[in-house]
Amino acid sequence: MPVAVILLALAALASLSLFVGAIDMSPADLWRDPEALRLMLVSRLPRTLAAMLAGASLAVTGQIMQVLARNRFVEPMTAGAGQSAALGILAATLFVPGAPVWIKMLIAAGATLIGSVGLLLMIRRLPPTQPLLVPLVALVYGGVIGAAVTFVAYQGDMLQFVQIWLTGELSGVLQGRYELLWIAGGVALGTWFIADRVTVLALGDAAGRALGVNVAAVTAAGLAAISLVTALTVVTLGAISFIGLVVPNLVSRLIGDNLRAGLPLTASLGALLVLGADMLGRVVRMPYEIPASAMTGVIGAALFLALILREPKHG
Amino acid sequence: MISIRNVSHAIHGAPILHDISLDLPRGGVTALIGPNGAGKSTLLSLIARLVKLQSGAISVDELEVGKAADRVLAQHLAIMPQSLTVSARLRVGELVMMGRYPWHQGRPGAEDREIIAAALAKFALEPLRDRFLDALSGGQRQRALVAMAYAQGTDYLLLDEPLNNLDIAASRHLMGLLREMAEREGKSIVIVLHDINYAAAFADRIVVMSGGRVAADGAPGEIVNDGLLRDVFDTNAEVRLIDGKPVVLV
Ligand SMILES: Nc1ncnc2c1ncn2[C@@H]1O[C@H](COP(=O)(O)OP(=O)(O)OP(=O)(O)O)[C@@H](O)[C@H]1O
Ligand SMILES: [Mg+2]
């Protein structure tokens, strides 16, 4: 079972992650040194959990996005959803600076939803015979919204904030500053309930209707999950790309596209990748850190290229 | 009974179907034939509410298409569309299990698994059960799609060109299965065919469509003759009677 192996690796990596960082620490220190225990509870543990929650939920919602877009090469974070989330949180910060975090969060999620619906409306008009047109259009679409974000931020003198939202990294994760990600994890877990219906939609909307699936409701639920997870991740960590692209493609190769059956593998693989990327980022230039999103970009791109090159030819 | 009343349909302003009225009674195999572009697939899509009805009315037994709930209709009528390309990487068993969706709503039980096993056996798919669809031949994939529609367990079965990609043995086998389902299980099967000889040999009734209208409708012996091929298909092929059944010499 690949899931068991991945879970084992994840557990090992997670325990290791608790002891890797700029401040040296060993398991024994936890007993001797109250300061070490505090560091563990306030920083290392939250950071490890945040990486796993974000990775798992990004991977799961990336897969849903690919079914809804009928294309394997799109990913919410780069296809306009991530940028829309940044636009939403930027607008919230500019126009309702005093609002509580959850209001800002809802504004960001709303913006993400609008951005994702816009993308779907656009790419569903593209000819199905040109599958590479979809990621191309998605990339341009994401780029345009990203440019709008930069423009608005420049006008509002907020460029340094935007950098935080557009570059995902976990060095700032502390107890009390990452808990929104539990909601993202909950949403990803909740997609288990629509997973089989989403899989039916992979045969097309018409086939879905023929099987009595409420196509509009399932599509809406999927988009809501994508938007919530994307917005929550951008707001707490910043954009982390490639996870939602690479993991679903990997899982598809390994065990196929039955979403419900694949959910545990997708989630644990996503968690493993982000945690691994963050840990690598912590150690390659000690004591400095490389943002997790830069690492996932490198690892993800390499994995993705390997996948494409190894894709068995058919037809 | 599937009853079609005054159905007209246009796509982007171009008329495709013209005021079609047709009754397809319960039980038996009805073959729908006609030249390319005659509107056969459009008519099937309208019956199966894959495309929204523009004018006229269609009902399946007591269910009115467009008003009945999708799930309820899905328990009465299954369709295998002409152009279903499955891009998802699914195993044959998983695909056929999807046909049970209207019944199990995502929670397949023992009964569903029994029906799947029977469907796989019926369509000789057991050895391919755990294969991915993208690792099948065209004919094997076609068979899996028919098995999925069959597994839906409906009284009405609409099949749009199920013989595509099938070799002669598989074609005869499938047509034999459909006949058997109609006779033993009382199913009503509507099947789009291009090979008139298959239609004449296996169907109880042939409906001929041409230019968006019903051009002829009746038992194979009454319908298939030189005139049909000349007028509807615009080709001069000879029809002979063998054992009382019409056979087109190609
Ligand atoms: N999306 C569409 N846009 C425009 N015209 C369409 C569309 N779909 C079908 N048509 C037209 O509708 C007519 C009927 O098409 P339909 O698919 O019902 O024919 P058919 O009888 O099933 O043909 P075939 O035997 O080739 O499958 C054709 O002339 C076709 O060009
Ligand atoms: Mg057709």
Side-chain angles (χ1 to χ4, degrees), chain B residues 11-12 14-17 34-43 82 160-161 192 194 209:
Chain B
I11 301 178
H12 305 314
I16 306 289
L17 298 179
N36 292 132
K40 306 178 295 292
S41 299
T42 307
L43 186 61
Q82 179 174 5
D160 201 342
E161 301 193 21
V192 177
H194 276 301
M209 284 185 73

Side-chain angles (χ1 to χ4, degrees), chain A residues 72 192-193 196-197 199-200 202-203 206-207 209-213 252-258 260-261 314, chain B residues 49-50 70-71 74 79 84 86-91 94-95 98-99 101-102 105-106 132 134 136 141 148 152:
Chain A
R72 280 193 197 293
W192 190 84
F193 291 102
D196 52 332
R197 270 162 281 188
T199 311
V200 174
L203 307 184
R209 205 165 317 122
L211 289 172
V213 171
S252 173
R253 284 275 121 223
L254 288 172
I255 63 167
D257 288 331
N258 185 338
R260 185 179 275 177
H314 185 81
Chain B
R49 49 93 175 77
L50 304 187
D70 277 343
R71 182 183 171 190
I79 182 168
L84 188 61
V86 183
S87 55
R89 272 190 102 228
L90 294 168
R91 291 170 211 278
E94 289 172 336
L95 181 82
M98 271 192 197
Y101 189 82
Q105 299 279 299
F132 282 114
D134 57 11
L136 297 183
R141 199 171 317 134
M148 173 184 169
Q152 208 170 322

Side-chain angles (χ1 to χ4, degrees), chain B residues 7-40:
Chain B
V7 166
S8 296
H9 195 77
I11 301 178
H12 305 314
I16 306 289
L17 298 179
H18 306 272
D19 195 30
I20 290 189
S21 291
L22 187 67
D23 280 333
L24 303 170
R26 237 189 131 90
V29 177
T30 303
L32 197 53
I33 65 172
N36 292 132
K40 306 178 295 292

Side-chain angles (χ1 to χ4, degrees), chain A residues 216-256:
Chain A
V218 174
T219 307
L223 280 174
I226 293 168
S227 306
L228 271 172
V229 166
T230 308
L232 286 160
T233 311
V234 169
V235 167
T236 34
L237 305 179
I240 297 178
S241 51
F242 268 107
I243 299 300
L245 177 69
V246 173
V247 175
N249 276 284
L250 212 63
V251 171
S252 173
R253 284 275 121 223
L254 288 172
I255 63 167

Side-chain angles (χ1 to χ4, degrees), chain A:
Chain A
M1 267 314 271
V3 184
V5 178
I6 304 279
L7 280 178
L8 224 63
L10 189 58
L13 211 61
S15 341
L16 196 63
S17 155
L18 298 175
F19 301 98
V20 170
I23 299 173
D24 227 2
M25 188 163 78
S26 76
D29 293 337
L30 290 180
W31 303 110
R32 282 190 307 246
D33 184 356
E35 205 39 45
L37 187 65
R38 214 184 64 83
L39 176 70
M40 168 74 58
L41 292 180
V42 171
S43 164
R44 294 277 170 82
L45 185 64
R47 183 170 187 165
T48 305
L49 289 172
M52 296 199 293
L53 286 168
S57 40
L58 288 176
V60 168
T61 48
Q63 192 166 29
I64 293 176
M65 179 72 162
Q66 285 159 26
V67 172
L68 296 183
R70 314 257 187 281
N71 191 290
R72 280 193 197 293
F73 305 119
V74 285
E75 173 214 11
M77 210 49 97
T78 48
Q83 293 83 351
S84 301
L87 194 59
I89 187 76
L90 180 64
T93 317
L94 279 175
F95 299 122
V96 283
V101 176
W102 65 270
I103 294 273
K104 289 183 181 166
M105 179 54 231
L106 279 184
I107 294 174
T112 316
L113 190 62
I114 295 171
S116 321
V117 171
L119 178 76
L120 276 196
L121 287 178
M122 238 181 355
I123 60 180
R124 289 216 171 166
R125 289 165 192 272
L126 298 175
T129 45
Q130 303 277 332
L132 287 180
L133 215 52
V134 172
L136 227 64
V137 168
L139 227 70
V140 173
Y141 179 73
V144 169
I145 301 178
V149 173
T150 312
F151 178 74
V152 173
Y154 181 75
Q155 298 289 318
D157 205 11
M158 293 192 49
L159 271 179
Q160 78 275 28
F161 284 98
V162 166
Q163 222 37 55
I164 293 174
W165 296 318
L166 292 184
T167 329
E169 52 114 16
L170 290 95
S171 64
V173 172
L174 291 175
Q175 187 184 31
R177 283 218 216 143
Y178 82 103
E179 280 76 2
L180 278 175
L181 287 178
W182 283 106
I183 302 178
V187 169
L189 209 64
T191 63
W192 190 84
F193 291 102
I194 58 164
D196 52 332
R197 270 162 281 188
V198 174
T199 311
V200 174
L201 287 197
L203 307 184
D205 284 358
R209 205 165 317 122
L211 289 172
V213 171
N214 188 336
V215 178
V218 174
T219 307
L223 280 174
I226 293 168
S227 306
L228 271 172
V229 166
T230 308
L232 286 160
T233 311
V234 169
V235 167
T236 34
L237 305 179
I240 297 178
S241 51
F242 268 107
I243 299 300
L245 177 69
V246 173
V247 175
N249 276 284
L250 212 63
V251 171
S252 173
R253 284 275 121 223
L254 288 172
I255 63 167
D257 288 331
N258 185 338
L259 251 61
R260 185 179 275 177
L263 197 69
L265 184 62
T266 310
S268 46
L269 212 53
L272 187 74
L273 267 183
V274 173
L275 183 60
D278 181 45
M279 286 173 65
L280 267 180
R282 273 183 255 169
V283 297
V284 285
R285 272 184 67 204
M286 279 245 218
Y288 304 106
E289 290 202 7
I290 297 175
S293 58
M295 297 308 293
T296 59
V298 173
I299 301 173
L303 270 175
F304 194 61
L305 277 178
L307 264 177
I308 289 182
L309 294 178
R310 290 194 43 176
E311 181 104 0
K313 300 272 177 287
H314 185 81

